Amino acid sequence: MLGTTSRRLLLCVFRISCRFSSTEPGAIVPGLNSPLRGDGAIRRSEPYGSTVEQTYAGVLSFLRRNYTRNLNNVDVAVTGIPLDLTTTFRPGARFGPKAIREASVQLPELKSYPEGIDLFEDLAVIDYGDCYFDQSQPKTIPSAIQEHAKKIIERNTFLLSLGGDHYVTYPLLKAHVAHHKKPLSLIHFDAHCDTWPDKDPDGMNHGTMFFYAVNEGLIDPKTSIQIGIRTYNDDTMGVKILGADWIHQHKIENVVEQILERVGNNPTYLTFDIDCLDPAFAPGTGTPVCGGLSTAQALAIIRQLGSVNYVGMDIVEVSPLYDYGNITGLAAATLGYEFLILLRNKKVIDKSFHFGTR
């Protein structure tokens, strides 16, 4: 007969094995075969693979990826752009990259849901750290961001950026367009269209950067689309709008169909302003607007956009000062994780897709 302590030990082992097992023989939790335990961000020697981590401790990086600027054999580099000087309401997005990293710690602990993918067995991802700029010299910031992105993109490494306020997308687009030598299509999730006119060429405003992006030929409005919009602008500059009300009245499949039809197979940049989500799901942001998408709606849409020809992505406007329990950071981190799943699937399934190529 087993004693009480032995029975409890066996029950504990059984529960752990159920948590970390799949229905396939030999399936394991990510990192279980690695000899390393903890702090994989600074201890792993390769950009592939995982380590078992204490989710509540250790060196922080996005999804516990290697914290490095070594781009050799790297598919995707994640970088933070801690800027919030251009916001028109509540500041604090400079702390967004840190909050997203903190919220990401649970996501790589298990295989992806619902597919059961061990993401980092197939996709080489690193955390490149944050873009450095001198906030006391604001006119130098756009070029600093553009140059930071250029160093990554010119190595044919895919760039996923974490904002920061939404202005950061403007210099990021400049860097991507300079590399690809053509205007890009834009998939833009937001509460605001950010195409309000601005006559000051030196202005820095997170509500006008796509006005400049269209006028400067960075994005092609005829093949671009904005999703979740619920603020008014007299001039949409030719970009197709899927308002939040329209989305609430239609099926996810209808939304996805509109997006895919609009961008086609054009080189496409995806930008996700977290205020696309309703404040009930993402209170930690600078310019919240009621009536937005739920986290579930956004994830369901993103998961069906696998056929898009992505060249770059960002998630912006997380302001943890106004958050509760880091649920906004968690939403952003989860979206970033799902973006990487899309890229992993393109690498594994779509043999014609190559990271960073023109």
Side-chain angles (χ1 to χ4, degrees):
M1 297 279 297
L2 287 172
T4 301
T5 302
S6 297
R7 285 197 299 269
R8 287 177 177 170
L9 180 60
L10 284 174
L11 181 60
C12 179
V13 171
F14 173 75
R15 285 174 175 167
I16 291 173
S17 66
C18 287
R19 182 183 182 190
F20 288 159
S21 296
S22 96
T23 56
E24 297 180 11
I28 56 172
V29 63
L32 203 59
N33 283 347
S34 170
L36 299 179
R37 291 293 182 268
D39 285 338
I42 57 172
R43 298 176 66 202
R44 276 191 305 270
S45 59
E46 298 293 333
Y48 288 100
S50 302
T51 51
V52 175
E53 302 279 352
Q54 295 169 297
T55 53
Y56 48 86
V59 175
L60 282 177
S61 63
F62 185 66
L63 300 173
R64 303 288 194 175
R65 302 320 301 151
N66 293 20
Y67 204 90
T68 179
R69 299 210 167 182
N70 182 355
L71 294 172
N72 292 335
N73 302 314
V74 170
D75 295 323
V76 183
V78 180
T79 192
I81 316 288
L83 176 71
D84 65 358
L85 298 181
T86 79
T87 185
T88 54
F89 186 29
R90 305 191 304 199
R94 67 179 62 185
F95 301 109
K98 179 182 178 183
I100 296 170
R101 288 184 175 105
E102 289 176 347
S104 76
V105 293
Q106 281 194 107
L107 294 169
E109 184 183 17
L110 301 174
K111 294 182 180 181
S112 70
Y113 181 86
E115 306 93 339
I117 293 170
D118 191 347
L119 174 59
F120 303 118
E121 286 301 305
D122 301 311
L123 194 68
V125 182
I126 64 160
D127 189 325
Y128 193 80
D130 290 346
C131 173
Y132 180 83
F133 49 79
D134 185 349
Q135 73 276 6
S136 70
Q137 302 293 326
K139 291 187 183 300
T140 68
I141 293 175
S143 59
I145 296 172
Q146 185 175 344
E147 185 62 27
H148 177 82
K150 177 186 174 184
K151 291 178 181 178
I152 298 170
I153 299 167
E154 68 183 5
R155 293 286 302 274
N156 285 332
T157 301
F158 193 97
L159 180 59
L160 168 58
S161 303
L162 310 176
D165 66 46
H166 211 161
Y167 178 84
V168 304
T169 304
Y170 180 48
L172 290 172
L173 279 172
K174 284 188 172 182
H176 283 84
V177 170
H179 180 76
H180 292 279
K181 310 296 185 185
K182 63 170 66 174
L184 303 176
S185 297
L186 184 73
I187 297 177
H188 173 200
F189 289 82
D190 207 322
H192 315 85
C193 59
D194 295 339
T195 54
W196 284 284
D198 187 351
K199 297 181 180 178
D200 183 358
D202 296 321
M204 293 175 62
N205 187 312
H206 73 161
T208 65
M209 65 282 175
F210 293 134
F211 170 81
Y212 286 118
V214 172
N215 283 335
E216 294 173 15
L218 301 179
I219 60 175
D220 176 10
K222 299 188 298 299
T223 61
S224 296
I225 189 166
Q226 297 175 321
I227 303 104
I229 305 301
R230 50 195 187 278
T231 48
Y232 185 78
N233 188 351
D234 286 325
D235 185 3
T236 64
M237 303 191 74
V239 178
K240 185 178 181 65
I241 305 289
L242 293 185
D245 289 347
W246 188 93
I247 293 172
H248 293 319
Q249 295 165 10
H250 290 78
K251 296 179 179 180
I252 296 298
E253 291 74 17
N254 301 134
V255 179
V256 171
E257 180 182 16
Q258 292 288 321
I259 296 171
L260 296 181
E261 182 179 287
R262 186 70 173 182
V263 302
N265 194 44
N266 300 304
T268 300
Y269 190 93
L270 190 158
T271 180
F272 198 109
D273 186 326
I274 205 66
D275 72 24
C276 178
L277 303 183
D278 189 86
F281 304 96
T285 191
T287 49
V289 182
C290 291
L293 276 62
S294 70
T295 311
Q297 283 176 301
L299 291 173
I301 294 168
I302 292 295
R303 286 170 177 160
Q304 296 186 47
L305 297 180
S307 65
V308 175
N309 182 17
Y310 297 109
V311 299
M313 299 171 169
D314 66 48
I315 307 166
V316 297
E317 295 285 358
V318 172
S319 182
L321 304 179
Y322 305 98
D323 208 359
Y324 296 91
N326 207 7
I327 61 172
T328 309
L330 179 59
T334 304
L335 286 164
Y337 182 81
E338 293 293 336
F339 292 172
L340 294 178
I341 291 288
L342 294 179
L343 296 176
R344 176 267 177 195
N345 290 343
K346 292 192 79 68
K347 178 183 179 182
V348 172
I349 300 169
D350 183 359
K351 302 302 182 183
S352 65
F353 179 80
H354 299 284
F355 292 100
T357 55
R358 301 177 195 182

